[in-house]
Amino acid sequence: MSYIHGLRCRECGATYAEDPIYICEDCFGPLEVVYDYEAIARDIGRRHIMDSPLNIWRYQPLLPAQHNGTVGSDVGFTPLFHAQNLGRELGLERLYVKNDCVTPSYSFKDRVVSVAVTKALEFGFDTIACASTGNLANSVAAQAARAGLRAVVFVPADLEEAKIVASSVYGPTVLAVDGNYDDVNRLCSILADQKGWAFVNVNMRPYYSEGAKTLGFEVAEQLGWCAPDHIVVPMASGSLLVKIKKGLDELARVGLIDGVQTRVSGAQPAGCSPIASAFASDAKQVQPVVPDTVAKSLAIGVPADGPYALRTIRGSQGAADAATDDEIIEGIQLLAETEGVLAETAGGVTVAVLKKLAERGTIRPDELTVVYVTGNGLKTQVVLNGRLRAPHQVKPTITAVESALTHTPA
Ligand SMILES: *Cc1c(COP(=O)(O)O)cnc(C)c1O
Ligand SMILES: [Zn+2]
């Protein structure tokens, strides 16, 4: 059963039917799904959700699908844990890590793609496509393989090799575009009008982006049905940040948690920080940039949801900041050494910005803070080359081992 009323323009409020469309015909604003919250509040309680399988579809009434998803039964309910070591390091008593590195294709993109592919099947598409900074292509290729759909994924040609491999292995058509993500996205916007394919983050974007709300729902449920005081979220287009906050607000709106006072802070790489820069300079507009950063998964210079992310951050008394390439790598190492989690560069960005906000007192020591780690470091190992202590080469003898140990700092 679906609680969707259709689509609505986020700018002018014009309404549309539930179709594979994404732009308002009147004002070119982005479209968003509209739900019947009164009916959801009436029909759905915590018990209903807690008795459902541990995947994203336990929140189906608040997702844009007619029924539980046909894909994504293994997506969602990733670990949330009290990060005591990292918290001690940063002076945060109640720091939690939401570890979304451990999804089927090793990034949070499995959530949004599960919703988009479910919707694409509902609409009768036979080809799934995307404009990707890497992780999205991995997830689209994997889920299309499982759903028996054709996949065509577009990525910037300078992507990490591991992310190309982690798409190609599933057998999609991979198009490595000579340009950056913003060029890829522009190309896909034109193709979406011509091809009759479901571009998950173009013509399916109103539905796709809703999948990210599950990162708000889950954290609230895992905290015993309450919203965190502060969250720190990586930003590329800014959609993830906006949707996590929307997810928390919706839980309150349908009576599943108390009012939400969560402060929302955003993290970007310094080499691509249009949203964080707008925040720092108190600007009204987000100015496009040309990305130059090791955090390729966050390298979107023209962020579609930038203005909405800014509004969410400012409206919640949050903050935004950026991390240099060196700080990103230090962030990866800090998380690995304190909590045993190997995050990709986007995780390095988020942990580095978390550290800055904690040191500056923007995050107060007693705030229940959740840091979102959204992608797996096995895909971006290349940035650690030359950064880690090399293994000691030893002969297979006790004396060689003893000698190596005496020359090694503990
Ligand atoms: C795509 C992505 C994000 C954030 O994307 P938005 O465009 O801001 O929604 C964050 N982390 C990782 C690892 C990603 O792949
Ligand atoms: Zn409009």
Side-chain angles (χ1 to χ4, degrees):
M1 147 124 197
S2 157
Y3 293 90
I4 310 170
H5 273 340
L7 299 176
R8 182 171 53 212
C9 173
R10 277 155 95 177
E11 291 302 320
C12 76
T15 56
Y16 295 86
E18 194 184 338
D19 286 323
I21 52 173
Y22 65 110
I23 290 177
C24 177
E25 287 169 9
D26 296 338
C27 77
F28 303 107
L31 304 182
E32 176 167 57
V33 178
V34 183
Y35 299 88
D36 183 348
Y37 293 114
E38 279 71 45
I40 297 172
R42 195 182 56 230
D43 295 354
I44 308 297
R46 290 181 185 172
R47 191 74 264 157
H48 170 98
I49 295 172
M50 289 159 82
D51 288 343
S52 305
L54 289 171
N55 62 45
I56 58 167
W57 295 111
R58 68 205 266 108
Y59 310 107
Q60 183 268 341
L62 289 165
L63 293 174
Q66 293 299 326
H67 310 281
N68 274 9
T70 31
V71 294
S73 60
D74 52 358
V75 174
F77 242 79
T78 52
L80 175 78
F81 67 90
H82 189 186
Q84 282 170 296
N85 300 332
L86 181 58
R88 203 174 304 119
E89 192 82 19
L90 302 181
L92 301 175
E93 291 151 30
R94 298 155 76 208
L95 176 65
Y96 287 74
V97 169
K98 178 63 170 170
N99 180 6
D100 234 30
C101 304
V102 291
T103 68
S105 80
Y106 310 106
S107 85
F108 99 91
K109 290 296 196 302
D110 286 326
R111 299 173 181 275
V112 279
V113 171
S114 296
V115 175
V117 172
T118 295
K119 212 63 199 166
L121 288 165
E122 271 180 28
F123 287 133
F125 286 101
D126 60 8
T127 301
I128 311 289
C130 68
S132 174
T133 56
N135 286 319
L136 183 58
N138 299 169
S139 184
V140 163
Q143 297 207 31
R146 188 147 177 215
L149 295 161
R150 176 166 168 235
V152 183
V153 303
F154 296 77
V155 294
D158 74 343
L159 212 53
E160 301 97 336
E161 168 118 42
K163 281 190 179 146
I164 305 261
V165 170
S167 289
S168 305
V169 68
Y170 305 106
T173 301
V174 181
L175 294 168
V177 179
D178 181 15
N180 62 30
Y181 171 82
D182 300 293
D183 300 313
V184 175
N185 192 43
R186 216 169 296 121
L187 176 65
C188 288
S189 302
I190 299 165
L191 287 170
D193 288 337
Q194 297 184 352
K195 281 290 178 193
W197 298 342
F199 277 84
V200 298
N201 57 337
V202 183
N203 53 342
M204 303 299 288
R205 192 170 179 88
Y207 310 99
Y208 157 92
S209 58
E210 288 285 287
K213 294 189 306 190
T214 59
L215 270 173
F217 300 154
E218 275 176 28
V219 161
E221 185 178 350
Q222 288 170 315
L223 290 173
W225 298 102
C226 83
D229 298 325
H230 206 136
I231 59 177
V232 184
V233 184
M235 300 186 290
S237 73
S239 175
L240 170 65
L241 177 140
V242 170
K243 293 293 178 166
I244 291 175
K245 178 61 162 48
K246 183 181 180 200
L248 293 171
D249 289 339
E250 284 184 345
L251 289 185
R253 180 145 184 201
V254 301
L256 291 167
I257 61 173
D258 290 337
V260 173
Q261 247 104 62
T262 308
R263 299 169 66 201
V264 182
S265 291
Q268 292 203 293
C272 182
S273 61
I275 306 172
S277 301
F279 179 82
S281 64
D282 254 335
K284 286 221 163 53
Q285 311 280 340
V286 176
Q287 297 299 336
V289 301
V290 177
D292 178 13
T293 168
V294 291
K296 299 196 185 296
S297 58
L298 301 183
I300 297 185
V302 189
D305 288 84
Y308 302 105
L310 261 187
R311 204 178 298 165
T312 299
I313 292 166
R314 286 177 176 149
S316 70
Q317 324 299 329
D321 212 329
T324 64
D325 283 358
D326 274 334
E327 290 169 338
I328 292 167
I329 290 160
E330 285 161 20
I332 293 174
Q333 291 183 269
L334 178 61
L335 181 65
E337 290 171 6
T338 54
E339 299 297 343
V341 172
L342 173 55
E344 71 143 272
T345 43
V349 169
T350 316
V351 170
V353 167
L354 168 77
K355 182 163 182 262
K356 289 186 191 204
L357 298 180
E359 284 170 356
R360 207 180 296 144
T362 306
I363 303 178
R364 294 187 298 271
D366 63 334
E367 279 185 300
L368 196 164
T369 301
V370 175
V371 60
Y372 283 90
V373 178
T374 49
N376 196 303
L378 289 176
K379 298 189 200 180
T380 62
Q381 289 187 59
V382 60
V383 301
L384 296 172
N385 281 349
R387 294 287 187 142
L388 308 176
R389 241 185 277 141
H392 296 275
Q393 305 290 336
V394 292
K395 296 247 159 16
T397 67
I398 300 296
T399 27
V401 170
E402 293 294 359
S403 155
L405 290 177
T406 53
H407 293 102
T408 308

